[in-house]
Amino acid sequence: MRLHRLAMTAFGPFATTQRVDFDVLATAGLFLLHGPTGAGKTSVLDAVCYALYGEVPGARQSPGVTLRSDYAAEDTTTEVTLELTVSGRRLEISRRPAQPRRKKTGTGFTTERAQSGLREYDPRDGAWRAVSRSHQEIGEEIRQLLGMSRDQFCQVVLLPQGDFAHFLRAGAEARGKLLGRLFDTRRFAAVEERLAELRRAAEHRVRAGDDRLLGIAQRISQAAGGSSALTPPAREPGDAGLAAAVLEWAALARSDAWERAAVAESALGAAESRTAAARRALDDARELARLQQRFAETRRRAEALEARRPAYERAREALERDHRAELVAPALSLRDEADGAQRAAVADRDRARELLPRDLLDAGAEQLASLERRTRQELGALDAAGRAEERDAAITAERAGLDREARADQEILAEAAEWLAGWEPRRHALLGAVERAQEGAARAGRLAVQLEPARARRDAARLRDTHEAALATAAGRAHDASVRAGAAREHWLDLREQRLNGMAAELASRLTAGEPCAVCGSAEHPAPARTVAGQVDRAAEERALTEYRRLEEARRAAEDAHTAVREEHATARARAGDDAVTELASIARQLEDEHTEAHRIGAGTHAAREALASAEREHDSRLAERGRTEQRVAARTSRRDALEREQAGLREQLERARGAAASVAERAGELERRARRFGVAADSAQAVDRTALRLKEADDRLATAAFRAGFDTPREASRALLADAERRELQRRSDAWQAEAHAVAERLAEPDARAAAGQPPAGVEVAGTVHDTAERVLRAASSAAVTARERAAELGRLSRQAEAEVRGLGPVREEYDRVARLAGLTAGTSSDNERRMRLESYVLAARLEQVAAAATVRLQRMSSGRYALLHSDARAGGRGRSGLGLQVVDAWTGRARDTATLSGGETFFASLALALGLADVVTDEAGGVRLDTLFIDEGFGSLDDQTLDEVLDVLDSLRERDRSVGIVSHVGDLRRRIPAQLEIVKDRHGSAVRQRAVDHTR
């Protein structure tokens, strides 16, 4: 992987766009990244990491930490663009984090979503090709090409020396966390956790099985009740003999229960026999009592039936007369219907004749029908006249419409002539307005160029005058602060001198009899110094020092403020010169007024052009409209002449057809009403004749039907008819009497009832008492037998359940033993694991051994062959993690010692060698991706000159095969040793990047 170019805009401390050309820096192989604290050196590395992974390293990625620069302008977008080559592909990654922007409409801000873009350079056509704009797709593509996660990249490419110095001194747990994060040993830790989970699950199943077995034993005890003299087994879950004890207890309880069930069954059989005999005696007594009661009740019903016989005979006679009258009912109904129809027909005929002329009041049906036909024929002849009348009305309406259109067209022609007469003056006026607006716009542009410098000089002059007043104030404050700080320093030095003069008394106050003196070592103190009045103690000196430091800080702040005001005043004076503010303001105001007026005139250019174009369009439209109107006038004159000729012919035809009526429709309505009256009168006369004949026939049929039914007159037959409700009631009474008579006769003939009536009364109560006593004894015996059977059955079921539970628990116990053995082995708690190493620690130990071997190659060169790193898998004491020990072997002494004993400089180059070795191992594991660009963080200040030369030689060897190494450091000597530099400078407006490369042309 090689970095080419980096661009950062509004990112971290950088307010504007800053660019880094790594290709230029890489020509030297070794380059220096330096700058004051807080300038933004780390932000350059953050930008590289953010471009690749969309995240920055460490705590800077935590919530609440924003990537956007606080110095950036509101309309500047935060963006990072990185160009690099990886796996033979040249890529460009651009990323924008989520950031606020001002709303396009309204007030306030809205959050703009994060954006990403990935492009690839195609060498065949020399152009960039878009690959993706998806965060997920770009992240996955970069991770596959690099073969490293973000944490691995930060450790391998950015090489944070502080982390590896801590790694050297840290314990096994801290080393395990870092190595586990870099080499992703989560799968081995997952195996440990999975085996632990399986062990806990298996243990849970075993205990759950024992709990279920003890639960079954408890239910056996409850089911056995007091039938067993043995007590349940007193065992706990996990006891080895639990299963056997439960099965033995179940067998004893089950045997005792079956014995008690047999005794209860025998008692139940005897009770059932006694109860059956008592039931038979009770049933016989109840049957005798029922027969005796039945016979007595039947005798009472027979007497009541005979008392109702006269009423039954009368009902039978009324029903028989009604039956004969029903034969005459149809004839009666027909006669009533014929009589009603006759009266209705006569009334309809009289009403119809009232509408006829007097000479036709006595006309017959034939004459009236003939008059209706002649009237209908005359009505049919008016259809053609009606259509002619409708056409005449349509022509009249059309002529009125033509007149309205003619008046409208005359108005259009007059308006068009008036408008066109004033066209030329209007056109010249609009052209003049367009020319004036264009001249105003050009003048506004020229004035705008002059206006901005005039405003800048005016504002600078105001700022200059403001700073002149503030400059004297700031100078006075700086002088006062300097005086106060000097006085405080003198006071502190005086107190310090007084304290030193009385130090003997201060030391004497700490002496204790019998303990040695801190100065001379003697345990005897014959004449300790005494504290005198006004003695200065340590607390007074420290208060004076604190006050001096506070005033000194205030002095520096006042001087910084004075310097800032002086610089700002000089800048403003350089821009404004010595001209007065009023003069510059007058010039700017005059330019503003002229610019405003010119801009106002020029702003009307578009409107003037639009007005001219609109007037021209209206001119063309009015010419076209005048032509169309003249064509319509000519066509309308021809149409009006044709309509007048057609309407004259139609009106002659209508005069003949209407007669005395006002219209053809009125004449047709009059004939329609006349024909309808003749038709109604003819129909009503015919209906009277038909109903009279029907009434005569109905009278004849009624007389014949009454005679045949045995009635002297039709009126007598009518009186014999019953209403439906009365008929149903009489029939119901008759049927009820006959049914009761039949039932009574059958009961009186029953032989069992006659025989029972001759016997003594039945003793039902005595038999019932005997039967109830037998029933109570039977229920008690049955309940005891059922309880005994259920107890025995339940104990059998629980015994089988206990046996099944014991069989099922066997494989579970075997699985638990096997899983617990494996879990203890991988967790390092088993006796089979001699070194007490966890599985993940075992894998990490192998990785650490590789890292130590790779680091030793460079460490020996940095230390002139003195030091080497050695991995140790010795067993740790207490609860420490084994297998992750790290020692340094000193060739001068031949002994291995802990890495925590290294000095500051030794720790630096040892941690650097460890970091480089770790980079090699992680790179190999990532698929051998070549890393052509590396960054090394601080730590060079702890080295002497010789060691620094050796370390730089090692780093210089990394440049082999076109590799570049960037060093992040504050050490001034490195600026002389490394000519290729990337400097980060800062001021109150944000940081900036200054790049200096080696000129190889000299």
Side-chain angles (χ1 to χ4, degrees):
M1 180 201 73
R2 174 177 291 280
L3 305 181
H4 296 296
R5 276 175 286 277
L6 173 67
M8 306 167 289
T9 303
F11 183 86
F14 305 108
T16 59
T17 301
Q18 304 295 318
R19 292 180 172 84
V20 179
D21 193 335
F22 289 107
D23 286 339
V24 175
L25 295 172
T27 57
L30 197 65
F31 63 91
L32 179 65
L33 176 59
H34 68 94
T37 302
K41 300 187 295 299
T42 305
S43 295
V44 175
L45 307 182
D46 290 347
V48 174
C49 184
Y50 177 71
L52 291 173
Y53 294 95
E55 298 176 343
V56 295
R60 296 186 292 279
Q61 188 61 33
S62 60
V65 178
T66 179
L67 301 180
R68 179 170 174 80
S69 175
D70 296 332
Y71 303 99
E74 182 180 290
D75 56 349
T76 302
T77 302
T78 299
E79 183 175 13
V80 175
T81 302
L82 177 65
E83 186 180 336
L84 74 159
T85 296
V86 58
S87 299
R89 298 171 60 186
R90 186 151 184 162
L91 305 174
E92 182 191 77
I93 310 170
S94 61
R95 293 188 187 270
R96 292 182 179 181
Q99 53 192 300
R101 65 167 175 81
R102 187 170 293 279
K103 295 181 179 178
K104 296 180 179 179
T105 59
T107 60
F109 290 83
T110 184
T111 301
E112 186 174 307
R113 294 186 301 175
Q115 301 178 25
S116 298
L118 176 63
R119 298 196 304 167
E120 182 174 1
Y121 181 76
D122 190 346
R124 292 174 297 181
D125 54 10
W128 289 92
R129 175 178 56 84
V131 177
S132 175
R133 299 187 64 84
S134 169
H135 300 293
Q136 291 77 13
E137 291 179 0
I138 295 173
E140 184 62 27
E141 181 79 10
I142 296 301
R143 277 190 289 272
Q144 289 182 1
L145 290 174
L146 293 178
M148 290 183 286
S149 65
R150 186 198 68 176
D151 291 338
Q152 288 177 318
F153 177 84
C154 294
Q155 292 291 143
V156 172
V157 178
L158 305 184
L159 297 182
Q161 294 306 111
D163 289 355
F164 284 96
H166 175 70
F167 182 84
L168 284 172
R169 298 186 177 92
E173 288 296 330
R175 289 175 185 159
K177 290 180 181 179
L178 175 61
L179 293 173
R181 187 171 67 251
L182 293 177
F183 293 105
D184 193 13
T185 56
R186 289 174 296 180
R187 59 186 183 278
F188 301 103
V191 169
E192 296 178 25
E193 183 61 27
R194 179 57 179 165
L195 286 174
E197 290 177 359
L198 292 176
R199 180 187 61 77
R200 290 192 295 270
E203 181 181 7
H204 177 72
R205 289 194 296 272
V206 168
R207 295 186 67 86
D210 288 346
D211 288 337
R212 290 194 299 272
L213 194 59
L214 286 174
I216 294 173
Q218 185 63 32
R219 291 198 295 275
I220 290 175
S221 175
Q222 294 173 356
S227 61
S228 178
L230 298 176
T231 58
R235 300 281 183 170
E236 295 294 332
D239 290 352
L242 176 63
V246 171
L247 293 179
E248 181 182 359
W249 152 249
L252 293 174
R254 185 172 65 251
S255 175
D256 182 75
W258 281 115
E259 291 179 0
R260 291 179 177 273
V263 174
E265 288 290 343
S266 176
L268 176 62
E272 287 176 345
S273 299
R274 289 192 296 272
T275 303
R279 179 176 295 280
R280 288 193 295 273
L282 178 60
D283 291 343
D284 293 343
R286 287 176 175 173
E287 179 63 17
L288 178 61
R290 186 186 66 80
L291 292 174
Q292 290 175 348
Q293 184 179 1
R294 181 181 179 87
F295 187 80
E297 182 182 355
T298 304
R299 293 295 299 270
R300 290 193 297 271
R301 289 171 59 188
E303 293 173 358
L305 184 65
E306 191 63 27
R308 297 199 306 272
R309 181 180 292 276
Y312 164 71
E313 294 295 339
R314 288 193 298 273
R316 292 284 298 173
E317 181 179 357
L319 288 173
E320 191 274 332
R321 286 175 58 82
D322 175 71
H323 179 68
R324 288 188 289 111
E326 285 181 350
L327 299 176
V328 186
L332 285 171
S333 177
L334 288 175
R335 200 273 174 190
D336 292 341
E337 291 179 2
D339 183 62
Q342 171 68 19
R343 288 195 295 271
V346 171
D348 291 342
R349 182 196 62 186
D350 294 342
R351 285 194 297 272
R353 287 182 183 275
E354 291 177 356
L355 302 176
L356 297 177
R358 290 184 177 274
D359 56 342
L360 296 177
L361 292 178
D362 297 330
E366 295 288 339
Q367 183 181 0
L368 294 173
S370 177
L371 291 173
E372 180 188 8
R373 286 192 296 272
R374 288 198 300 271
T375 306
R376 292 290 180 186
Q377 291 172 357
E378 185 179 356
L379 180 62
L382 291 177
D383 290 342
R387 290 191 295 273
E389 188 176 43
E390 293 176 357
R391 177 57 183 162
D392 177 67
I395 291 174
T396 301
E398 186 174 356
R399 289 179 63 185
L402 292 175
D403 292 339
R404 289 192 299 272
E405 292 175 0
R407 289 192 295 272
D409 286 344
Q410 289 299 326
E411 293 177 358
I412 292 174
L413 290 174
E415 183 181 355
E418 181 182 357
W419 193 91
L420 292 173
W423 163 241
E424 287 302 326
R426 184 180 298 106
R427 179 172 176 274
H428 289 306
L430 293 174
L431 287 173
V434 171
E435 292 176 357
R436 288 192 299 275
Q438 290 176 342
E439 292 176 358
R443 176 171 173 76
R446 293 191 298 271
L447 291 172
V449 174
Q450 304 173 17
L451 180 59
E452 189 59 32
R455 287 175 174 170
R457 290 192 63 194
R458 178 199 62 193
D459 296 341
R462 290 173 178 172
L463 189 61
R464 176 200 63 197
D465 295 348
T466 301
H467 287 332
E468 285 179 357
L471 187 60
T473 302
R477 290 176 179 173
H479 178 266
D480 294 343
S482 177
V483 171
R484 288 194 296 271
R489 184 175 184 277
E490 292 297 329
H491 178 63
W492 166 59
L493 292 176
D494 291 343
L495 292 180
R496 180 176 180 80
E497 184 178 1
Q498 295 177 23
R499 185 189 173 205
L500 291 176
N501 293 335
M503 184 59 68
E506 183 176 341
L507 292 175
S509 64
R510 301 175 186 173
L511 294 175
T512 303
E515 294 184 1
C517 175
V519 179
C520 64
S522 174
E524 298 179 359
H525 317 297
R530 300 291 183 181
T531 301
V532 298
Q535 177 71 39
V536 177
D537 57 5
R538 180 176 182 179
E541 180 190 355
E542 289 180 349
R543 285 195 300 271
L545 177 59
T546 301
E547 179 65 15
Y548 162 63
R549 288 174 177 172
R550 185 184 67 79
L551 293 176
E552 179 65 20
E553 183 66 26
R555 180 191 65 79
R556 285 196 294 268
E559 290 180 351
D560 291 344
H562 178 242
T563 301
V565 173
R566 185 171 62 248
E567 291 176 353
E568 291 175 354
H569 175 263
T571 302
R573 184 170 184 177
R575 292 178 180 176
D578 296 327
D579 294 335
V581 174
T582 55
E583 180 181 353
L584 295 176
S586 176
I587 295 173
R589 185 163 50 255
Q590 182 179 356
L591 288 174
E592 286 175 351
D593 294 341
E594 293 178 359
H595 176 266
T596 301
E597 180 63 20
H599 184 271
R600 183 189 62 78
I601 296 173
T605 302
H606 179 72
R609 288 174 177 172
E610 285 295 323
L612 176 59
S614 177
E616 290 176 345
R617 289 194 298 271
E618 186 175 1
H619 174 259
D620 296 339
S621 174
R622 288 185 180 272
L623 287 176
E625 181 65 20
R626 184 176 64 179
R628 290 193 296 270
T629 304
E630 290 173 349
Q631 293 175 0
R632 289 199 302 271
V633 169
R636 192 181 301 110
T637 302
S638 300
R639 177 61 177 167
R640 183 185 293 109
D641 294 342
L643 291 175
E644 288 177 353
R645 290 192 298 271
E646 181 182 0
Q647 192 174 34
L650 289 173
R651 289 187 174 178
E652 290 179 2
Q653 179 184 351
L654 290 174
E655 288 294 334
R656 292 191 300 270
R658 281 198 296 262
S663 65
V664 174
E666 182 179 347
R667 177 63 178 166
E670 180 181 346
L671 292 177
E672 175 65 29
R673 289 190 295 274
R674 184 184 302 174
R676 190 180 303 112
R677 291 169 184 169
F678 289 154
V680 171
D683 292 341
S684 61
Q686 292 174 358
V688 169
D689 295 340
R690 289 194 303 271
T691 55
L693 180 60
R694 180 182 172 189
L695 180 59
K696 182 177 179 304
E697 293 175 352
D699 287 337
D700 295 342
R701 290 177 182 175
L702 179 59
T704 302
F707 176 75
R708 291 178 178 176
F711 294 102
D712 295 336
T713 63
R715 183 179 298 276
E716 184 180 354
S718 177
R719 286 198 300 268
L721 283 173
L722 297 175
D724 290 341
E726 186 179 2
R727 183 186 305 110
R728 286 194 297 272
E729 179 62 23
L730 291 175
Q731 186 65 46
R732 185 189 65 77
R733 293 176 183 176
S734 177
D735 293 344
W737 193 91
Q738 290 179 357
E740 179 69 10
H742 180 70
V744 169
E746 287 183 349
R747 281 197 175 187
L748 291 175
E750 292 176 354
D752 293 344
R754 286 180 174 273
Q759 295 182 12
V764 177
E765 293 182 358
V766 176
T769 301
V770 174
H771 176 264
D772 292 342
T773 302
E775 282 282 348
R776 286 195 298 274
V777 174
L778 176 61
R779 283 195 298 272
S782 176
S783 176
V786 168
T787 301
R789 284 196 301 271
E790 290 178 349
R791 179 181 291 112
E794 178 66 12
L795 289 173
R797 184 185 67 80
L798 292 173
S799 297
R800 291 190 297 273
Q801 185 175 352
E803 293 171 359
E805 190 66 37
V806 170
R807 288 193 300 271
L809 195 56
V812 175
R813 289 186 181 276
E814 294 177 1
E815 179 185 2
Y816 168 71
D817 294 338
R818 181 174 60 256
V819 171
R821 191 163 54 252
L822 288 174
L825 184 63
T826 57
T829 59
S830 172
S831 59
D832 296 334
N833 192 332
E834 296 180 357
R835 295 187 180 276
R836 300 292 180 178
M837 291 177 63
R838 291 169 44 197
L839 177 61
E840 183 185 15
S841 299
Y842 180 78
V843 176
L844 292 177
R847 296 297 191 193
L848 183 58
E849 187 174 3
Q850 294 176 338
V851 172
T856 297
V857 175
R858 294 188 174 88
L859 179 59
Q860 287 180 338
R861 186 172 176 181
M862 293 179 187
S863 62
S864 301
R866 178 180 179 183
Y867 293 117
L869 288 175
L870 179 65
H871 162 250
S872 173
D873 58 358
R875 179 174 174 179
R879 299 176 59 87
R881 180 185 291 196
S882 301
L884 296 180
L886 194 63
Q887 296 178 332
V888 59
V889 179
D890 190 344
W892 290 4
T893 63
R895 294 183 180 181
R897 54 192 173 95
D898 194 272
T899 54
T901 62
L902 293 172
S903 65
E906 293 170 340
T907 299
F908 167 70
F909 61 71
S911 62
L912 177 59
L914 187 66
L916 295 174
L918 181 63
D920 293 339
V921 175
V922 174
T923 301
D924 292 338
E925 183 174 283
V929 176
R930 177 177 172 81
L931 301 177
D932 294 321
T933 305
L934 296 175
F935 294 93
I936 300 176
D937 205 345
E938 279 286 2
F940 293 88
S942 60
L943 304 180
D944 56 49
D945 291 342
Q946 180 180 354
T947 305
L948 181 60
D949 289 337
E950 293 173 348
V951 170
L952 291 178
D953 288 341
V954 173
L955 296 179
D956 193 57
S957 68
L958 297 177
R959 299 185 299 166
E960 298 173 358
R961 292 177 304 207
D962 202 25
R963 175 182 287 182
S964 62
V965 179
I967 297 177
V968 183
S969 177
H970 292 280
V971 179
D973 191 39
L974 290 177
R975 302 180 192 177
R976 296 186 296 274
R977 292 171 180 256
I978 304 176
Q981 298 179 12
L982 184 66
E983 182 182 6
I984 312 298
V985 296
K986 67 176 181 178
D987 60 18
R988 63 193 311 166
H989 302 296
S991 298
V993 175
R994 295 178 182 174
Q995 185 169 326
R996 187 179 71 181
V998 180
D999 188 359
H1000 293 281
T1001 62
R1002 297 182 180 178

